[in-house]
Amino acid sequence: MSDKNFTKEDILRIAKEQNVRFIRLQFTDLLGTIKNVEIPVSQLEKALDNKMMFDGSSIEGYVRIEESDMYLYPDLSTWVVFPWVTTDRVARLICDIYLPDGRPFPGDPRGILKAALKEAEEMGYTSMNVGPEPEFFLFKTDEKGNPTMELNDQGGYFDLAPTDLGENCRREIVLTLEEMGFEIEASHHEVAPGQHEIDFKYADAIKAADQIQTFKLVVKTVARQHGLHATFMPKPLFGVNGSGMHCHQSLFRGNENAFYDESDKLGLSTVARQYMAGILKHARSFAAITNPTVNSYKRLVPGYEAPCYVAWSASNRSPMIRIPASRGLSTRVEVRNPDPAANPYLALAVMLKAGLDGIKHKMQLPPPTDRNIYVMTEDEREEQGIPSLPLNLKQALDEMLRDDVICDALGDHALAHFYELKEIEWDIYRTQVHAWEREQYLTLY
């Protein structure tokens, strides 16, 4: 994950020097799952020449059988040798997906983010910087290696061993990530027992999304080596905080942060305020992407530090957008509703498009909400014009379809397939009979 610009020759040389035997050509499906096409090193040169094909019809939300041939175009800057395999070493390259006629495949999430960034560039913003904060839980596994619901510790926010039994696992995750070129800024126990957070240095949007995917892979791999199961499920346990993936973001023009204005009372430029206004306007519509599962909406409830109201503040942590204290080049907005089940490429694409829409239409940012929104009544929230995020996945999907900006960000192919997959998910959930219902009603009626 370094910023090194590898050439084809560099990669072939390193593969030979480090005795790499297999290469995983990685990409991400619409639901955010990492997919691999593994090739022996003898095929590496062919892959580096963009000649490696795969069957797209076998991938969730990709294509039908009759149009299934796809090409993998590796991004050479993503070359890395996995540190946890010592014999028969394995390396990986993250790929973009192309059609046989040379056009980018419209259902490739990485390509969708690239298209949104191209629009930002046409508006004069050369980069979008993103600092993600994905949280996760560590559960113990049983003798067969399957996850149990038993947490690995009873630690709390910033706790250290002996309470935080995940510390050794977390330390090894950090060391592994650093070996793979990540710059780790902080690693600590989160509020809930068994919950952890590792923050890495901000990067441009594509690299940040690549890093989130690599991060998830490393966390799960190292946890397994410690006899633990790492999950990025947004709300695995009732009654404790869920896992979020706050996304700090800013737009740059060259080396200049377009969000900073020293003459402003809060240090925020007009562009930053318009961007935030766009995020707030489209928040209910992009929730289906940033919070994409049935379970996501169990996290977005009052009382557990997750934002469920569409508002902003420079100080208060209950609204959806917070402005961290740093200024100058570090001026940024922190969007707090995304969770780590989100496909990072799609999540960043829809937030960027929402923000750009705010800039294009010179949207007015509503006043900040500096009171604790959780203690406001519904009437008070309505009076202040503070809507709620959708209450469930079905509401979120309906809101998404009504918003042209978000539909446009995804494009027809991804929108149709994503919606179809999520409708099925909602329907399965809606028609299930859950344990809670039996507890409530079986003897009562």
Side-chain angles (χ1 to χ4, degrees):
M1 300 305 303
S2 64
D3 288 319
K4 192 166 176 200
N5 288 320
F6 293 104
T7 63
K8 179 181 159 183
E9 289 67 32
D10 291 334
I11 290 172
L12 292 168
R13 188 192 74 252
I14 296 165
K16 197 171 181 184
E17 286 170 358
Q18 298 203 22
N19 193 31
V20 170
R21 302 296 298 275
F22 297 96
I23 295 91
R24 288 188 194 163
L25 302 176
Q26 286 185 346
F27 57 98
T28 298
D29 74 10
L30 271 184
L31 298 181
T33 309
I34 296 175
K35 300 293 181 183
N36 295 289
V37 173
E38 190 164 271
I39 58 168
V41 73
S42 59
Q43 296 290 302
L44 176 57
E45 194 160 357
K46 181 180 172 185
L48 294 173
D49 288 337
N50 301 335
K51 289 184 178 152
M52 196 54 71
M53 274 172 105
F54 77 103
D55 175 8
S57 66
S58 58
I59 305 300
E60 203 68 272
Y62 265 39
V63 285
R64 297 184 300 275
I65 295 289
E66 63 272 20
E67 49 186 21
S68 58
D69 288 344
M70 304 252 173
Y71 282 89
L72 294 162
Y73 284 29
D75 178 337
L76 304 195
S77 71
T78 65
W79 167 260
V80 74
V81 180
F82 288 139
W84 56 79
V85 186
T86 44
T87 52
D88 285 349
R89 302 205 71 180
V90 178
R92 78 92 208 265
L93 285 158
I94 294 175
C95 301
D96 294 309
I97 311 292
Y98 278 75
L99 298 169
D101 64 8
R103 286 179 302 131
F105 168 53
D108 175 19
R110 203 168 186 260
I112 287 167
L113 176 54
K114 284 186 171 181
L117 289 164
K118 192 166 185 288
E119 186 179 329
E121 202 174 335
E122 285 161 5
M123 290 170 66
Y125 304 104
T126 49
S127 64
M128 176 199 197
N129 279 348
V130 179
E133 297 179 352
E135 295 166 345
F136 57 96
F137 277 84
L138 291 173
F139 288 95
K140 292 179 179 172
T141 52
D142 63 18
E143 58 284 352
K144 288 181 179 162
N146 296 319
T148 67
M149 291 314 292
E150 195 184 342
L151 292 164
N152 75 305
D153 67 55
Q154 289 303 314
Y157 201 49
F158 286 120
D159 266 359
L160 286 174
T163 321
D164 178 3
L165 300 177
E167 198 189 4
N168 287 342
C169 177
R170 200 171 62 231
R171 185 185 295 124
E172 198 175 316
I173 289 167
V174 168
L175 292 172
T176 305
L177 289 167
E178 286 182 334
E179 213 176 313
M180 293 174 75
F182 278 73
E183 279 185 65
I184 303 299
E185 297 202 321
S187 128
H188 58 85
H189 199 293
E190 259 300 335
V191 176
Q195 189 185 31
H196 304 267
E197 180 180 314
I198 296 170
D199 302 333
F200 34 96
K201 191 175 191 286
Y202 70 87
D204 69 80
I206 291 284
K207 185 178 173 189
D210 288 346
Q211 284 185 328
I212 291 166
Q213 293 299 73
T214 302
F215 174 79
K216 287 180 180 176
L217 185 68
V218 170
V219 167
K220 284 180 172 287
T221 302
V222 174
R224 204 178 303 122
Q225 291 167 351
H226 282 255
L228 298 167
H229 175 77
T231 182
F232 291 92
M233 178 180 177
K235 186 87 170 186
L237 298 168
F238 172 72
V240 298
N241 286 21
S243 291
M245 186 174 71
H246 302 168
C247 290
H248 296 250
Q249 46 202 279
S250 55
L251 295 178
F252 270 65
R253 293 188 194 94
N255 297 322
E256 173 209 340
N257 186 340
F259 280 10
Y260 178 56
D261 179 357
E262 61 181 327
S263 65
D264 179 74
K265 176 167 82 166
L266 284 174
L268 292 174
S269 68
T270 304
V271 165
R273 289 170 181 274
Q274 291 169 345
Y275 186 94
M276 285 159 64
I279 294 269
L280 294 175
K281 177 176 192 255
H282 297 288
R284 284 177 57 81
S285 311
F286 66 56
I289 301 295
T290 53
N291 307 88
T293 68
V294 163
N295 181 253
S296 296
Y297 296 86
K298 308 284 173 87
R299 168 181 166 255
L300 298 177
V301 294
Y304 297 99
E305 295 193 16
C308 30
Y309 303 114
V310 182
W312 76 280
S313 170
S315 51
N316 183 354
R317 283 174 186 264
S318 63
M320 190 184 121
I321 297 181
R322 186 177 79 91
I323 310 298
S326 312
R327 288 297 174 266
L329 284 178
S330 302
T331 309
R332 60 196 189 273
V333 304
E334 177 189 6
V335 184
R336 298 168 59 80
N337 70 297
D339 67 50
N343 180 325
Y345 302 101
L346 297 183
L348 294 181
V350 292
M351 287 189 282
L352 175 57
K353 288 279 275 198
L356 293 178
D357 191 50
I359 297 169
K360 271 190 233 168
H361 293 100
K362 299 185 167 47
M363 287 181 195
Q364 280 294 309
L365 183 65
T369 305
D370 295 326
R371 273 183 67 194
N372 183 349
I373 308 177
Y374 298 141
V375 299
M376 287 185 184
T377 64
E378 202 170 328
D379 290 345
E380 285 176 310
R381 288 199 306 272
E382 210 164 293
E383 207 175 289
Q384 295 209 20
I386 301 172
S388 297
L389 284 164
L391 297 176
N392 57 48
L393 181 60
K394 174 64 176 157
Q395 264 189 22
L397 290 168
D398 292 345
E399 290 279 352
M400 177 179 74
L401 284 190
R402 283 197 285 267
D403 190 317
D404 290 346
V405 170
I406 302 306
C407 291
D408 179 60
L410 297 170
D412 293 343
H413 182 101
L415 176 70
H417 285 79
F418 181 85
Y419 184 81
E420 186 186 353
L421 290 167
K422 290 295 163 182
E423 275 274 80
I424 293 167
E425 182 179 330
W426 175 254
D427 232 42
I428 293 169
Y429 171 71
R430 187 181 61 80
T431 54
Q432 281 283 347
V433 178
H434 299 273
W436 181 90
E437 295 169 86
R438 286 191 287 271
E439 281 166 25
Q440 294 292 312
Y441 307 133
L442 200 63
T443 54
L444 186 61
Y445 295 106

